[in-house]
Amino acid sequence: MSTTIMQVKHLYKIFSTQDNDSKEKEAYTALQEGTSVEEVTKKQQVVVALNDVTLDVEEGKILVIIGLSGSGKSTLIRCLNLLHRPTAGEVLYKGINILDYSHNQMQEFRRTKVAMVFQNFGLMSHRNVLQNVVYGLEVRGIERGQREKQATAMLEMVGLQGWENKDIRSLSGGMKQRVGIARALTNNPEILLMDEAFSVLDPLVRNDLQFELLRIQEKMLKTIIFITHDINEAFKLGDKVAILRDGQLIQVATPEEMLNNPANDYVQRFINNVDTTKVLTVRSITEVPGALVREGVGANLAVKIMGVNGVSSAYVLDSHMHYKGLLPLNAALAVAGGKKSFAEALLDIPCITDPDILISDIVQMSADSVFPLPVIDKDGLFLGIVTKAAVLTSLQK
Ligand SMILES: Nc1ncnc2c1ncn2[C@@H]1O[C@H](COP(=O)(O)OP(=O)(O)OP(=O)(O)O)[C@@H](O)[C@H]1O
Ligand SMILES: [Mg+2]
């Protein structure tokens, strides 16, 4: 069961291009009265950055927000810690509308509940690595020994032990962002907000940090809201992915659901760029084999079953559906002719023992195997087979 930690309800953020707050409200009222966004935008000289967004953020999960440039991603994430004050709607943290927070409550919320990791790192170049990471604790008046202990532990978490005294300017982009993440984590926030945090990094460094983030998340069970332009990054990191378009939420779903049931053409166009083998699991392409035989049936029956189904091998199970091995037609014929025992005829071919691994992880195994690969669960129960054709089709999607 997942718990909702934050929610936005009917959230609107309208920016006045004239820096005129009353325009914001007037535009909102006009929208409520049914005027179209185009008309409101023109008439009131505003930008409707968020248009009636309702979204749940699940505790301890990674929610990725994706959308084209200008779709409202940064505005949405900035409404979660009220760096932007919404024009209308609610932002709930554990059921309480943070728009009603007093100044002190808001300060407490920002210091202890949420932390942000920025695209351009936002580090202070006159401070060294450790001094950057302790900053938040310093502001909170935590005693020096304690704050340095916490900061050192977080630097270790992001793989920067030994770098405490280094000058920020001497670090690569990837290392700077590790410092950014350590700094955000040092306050021990429940929620990490990451706005295109990896976008300026080159692909290899980005890959490392994605992996690192997943590792950290698994260890610390933070709630992470991660913004990206990159659908592959979204599908790699997101437990759920939310797609924004022109300030409206188009679809929120798990990567697999989104891939299988895109809400519309806009979503489809995004996912056309996805490497599906990195999203779909083996389970999704597992199928029932043409020929299944029970251990202990006669070889003649096994040969017949293969013949009827037009295949030249059968998968053999015991009476409790445990997978026992593969019986090739020629071996079955040898058993029938009394040249071999049934047990001797069984081939021990490689098996997929976890149906929830990604297809990308078994491409080579499938290519190397003459036979479709049997898939079993951790108790050895037979779930089906994966054919080369199914693997190749998913590569082409
Ligand atoms: N402070 C502001 N004043 C006026 N308009 C703004 C302001 N901030 C954002 N906007 C507008 O609101 C819309 C949404 O902007 P936002 O920055 O949220 O988009 P985004 O999805 O983060 O885009 P990007 O991928 O380029 O970062 C854009 O049209 C933008 O021009
Ligand atoms: Mg942005």
Side-chain angles (χ1 to χ4, degrees):
M1 255 294 284
S2 59
T3 320
T4 300
I5 186 163
M6 286 199 84
Q7 273 177 301
V8 300
K9 286 189 179 169
H10 302 293
L11 199 71
Y12 287 81
K13 179 65 196 172
I14 298 169
F15 292 107
S16 162
T17 48
Q18 310 290 300
D19 234 355
N20 179 345
D21 283 353
S22 66
K23 287 277 181 210
E24 229 183 284
K25 295 287 178 195
E26 277 173 36
Y28 172 69
T29 309
L31 281 180
Q32 293 304 299
E33 287 166 353
T35 315
S36 71
V37 172
E38 293 70 33
E39 210 172 314
V40 169
T41 304
K42 220 155 100 195
K43 226 164 146 183
Q44 310 277 359
Q45 298 193 301
V46 292
V47 177
V48 181
L50 294 177
N51 185 357
D52 199 6
V53 173
T54 294
L55 176 68
D56 284 3
V57 180
E58 288 168 38
E59 183 160 29
K61 298 282 169 63
I62 303 184
L63 171 68
V64 177
I65 299 170
I66 186 162
L68 298 177
S69 185
S71 58
K73 304 180 296 294
S74 296
T75 307
L76 177 56
I77 209 171
R78 284 163 168 267
C79 282
L80 296 179
N81 59 0
L82 300 193
L83 282 180
H84 282 324
R85 205 158 177 94
T87 307
E90 293 179 320
V91 181
L92 306 174
Y93 166 72
K94 296 193 172 166
I96 295 172
N97 190 357
I98 65 171
L99 288 155
D100 296 334
Y101 274 177
S102 67
H103 176 72
N104 286 349
Q105 284 175 312
M106 195 60 222
Q107 207 166 26
E108 181 66 11
F109 180 71
R110 286 198 187 129
R111 282 184 181 170
T112 62
K113 306 296 187 206
V114 285
M116 203 147 182
V117 180
F118 299 93
Q119 178 173 10
N120 50 7
F121 322 126
L123 301 173
M124 294 171 284
S125 55
H126 60 282
R127 289 179 157 231
N128 69 20
V129 168
L130 185 70
Q131 287 165 346
N132 263 280
V133 178
V134 295
Y135 182 72
L137 297 176
E138 209 174 292
V139 172
R140 281 166 61 188
I142 309 290
E143 172 265 322
R144 181 168 178 178
Q146 176 63 27
R147 68 185 188 230
E148 292 195 347
K149 196 172 141 211
Q150 267 170 258
T152 309
M154 285 310 126
L155 280 169
E156 193 168 327
M157 172 77 80
V158 300
L160 284 183
Q161 59 275 40
W163 289 78
E164 292 80 359
N165 298 318
K166 288 280 189 314
D167 190 329
I168 287 292
R169 283 164 297 200
S170 70
L171 267 51
S172 68
M175 288 169 116
K176 282 184 185 153
Q177 197 52 293
R178 284 172 194 265
V179 177
I181 294 171
R183 180 184 54 184
L185 290 172
T186 298
N187 274 329
N188 198 22
E190 291 173 17
I191 303 164
L192 269 189
L193 306 176
M194 305 181 72
D195 192 352
E196 309 244 11
F198 300 159
S199 300
V200 298
L201 305 173
D202 70 54
L204 286 178
V205 175
R206 194 168 171 168
N207 232 353
D208 282 352
L209 274 174
Q210 289 165 349
F211 176 76
E212 205 77 0
L213 187 70
L214 289 172
R215 202 180 52 79
I216 289 170
Q217 209 276 339
E218 199 173 289
K219 233 173 163 165
M220 304 184 81
L221 292 176
K222 299 290 178 196
T223 303
I224 300 174
I225 299 160
F226 190 100
I227 290 180
T228 179
H229 271 96
D230 175 355
I231 189 77
N232 283 303
E233 184 166 68
F235 277 16
K236 185 166 173 187
L237 295 179
D239 292 300
K240 290 258 177 80
V241 176
I243 295 209
L244 274 177
R245 179 189 197 176
D246 298 335
Q248 287 185 307
L249 203 56
I250 304 297
Q251 187 171 17
V252 188
T254 65
E256 196 154 358
E257 282 164 6
M258 194 171 275
L259 207 52
N260 291 330
N261 289 305
N264 58 24
D265 287 351
Y266 179 77
V267 179
Q268 183 66 54
R269 278 201 295 279
F270 258 101
I271 62 188
N272 284 344
N273 297 318
V274 165
D275 181 349
T276 51
T277 63
K278 297 214 168 89
V279 180
L280 293 177
T281 57
V282 164
R283 195 185 288 277
S284 70
I285 55 164
T286 297
E287 54 195 271
V288 180
L292 268 180
V293 300
R294 283 288 167 82
E295 195 180 33
V297 301
N300 283 321
L301 179 56
V303 170
K304 205 164 177 181
I305 292 173
M306 290 184 233
V308 168
N309 291 289
V311 291
S312 56
S313 58
Y315 294 80
V316 180
L317 311 182
D318 71 10
S319 54
H320 299 293
M321 294 298 282
H322 292 108
Y323 172 68
K324 289 297 173 188
L326 183 97
L327 181 66
L329 180 58
N330 56 357
L333 289 168
V335 178
K339 295 190 193 109
K340 261 186 186 174
S341 75
F342 199 99
E344 283 168 347
L346 283 190
L347 264 189
D348 186 17
I349 63 168
C351 257
I352 299 170
T353 52
D354 178 0
D356 296 316
I357 59 171
L358 297 175
I359 297 172
S360 58
D361 294 333
I362 57 119
V363 172
Q364 193 58 48
M365 189 178 173
S366 166
D368 291 344
S369 174
V370 179
F371 303 100
L373 298 167
V375 183
I376 59 177
D377 71 7
K378 60 179 183 345
D379 301 317
L381 284 180
F382 182 75
L383 300 175
I385 57 164
V386 166
T387 65
K388 267 196 189 107
V391 173
L392 291 175
T393 310
S394 75
L395 282 172
Q396 276 177 347
K397 255 191 198 165

